[in-house]
Amino acid sequence: IPCLFKQFGTVSDIEFIVCPTCESFINKDDGCDHMVCSRCLTHFCYQCGKKYDMIFNLHGLEFKHRC
């Protein structure tokens, strides 16, 4: 895993990742690695920090990514 995690404040037990667009600190409590930044709405992977490619198809919006 790349060194995208940063400690924030005095909380040493929580890992944060930085949004690839607006650089907001984001942590994950549970669920999949597909994250959406609450500040700028960028879709990205929590594991590697790369943005998802948005693809429109017949069924609506789809996101594609591979670490």
Side-chain angles (χ1 to χ4, degrees):
I1 296 175
C3 189
L4 294 172
F5 292 98
K6 298 184 178 185
Q7 298 293 326
F8 184 70
T10 58
V11 181
S12 62
D13 294 344
I14 300 174
E15 292 181 327
F16 291 85
I17 192 169
V18 176
C19 172
T21 301
C22 71
E23 300 182 350
S24 292
F25 291 100
I26 299 170
N27 72 318
K28 181 176 93 163
D29 293 332
D30 195 17
C32 70
D33 291 326
H34 183 155
M35 304 298 288
V36 180
C37 177
S38 60
R39 183 175 179 196
C40 69
L41 303 179
T42 296
H43 293 252
F44 66 97
C45 176
Y46 191 80
Q47 288 295 317
C48 70
K50 292 181 182 177
K51 294 180 187 179
Y52 277 81
D53 294 323
M54 289 186 283
I55 298 170
F56 294 94
N57 62 24
L58 295 175
H59 304 290
L61 186 60
E62 185 177 306
F63 296 93
K64 299 235 179 211
H65 170 74
R66 290 187 182 167
C67 287

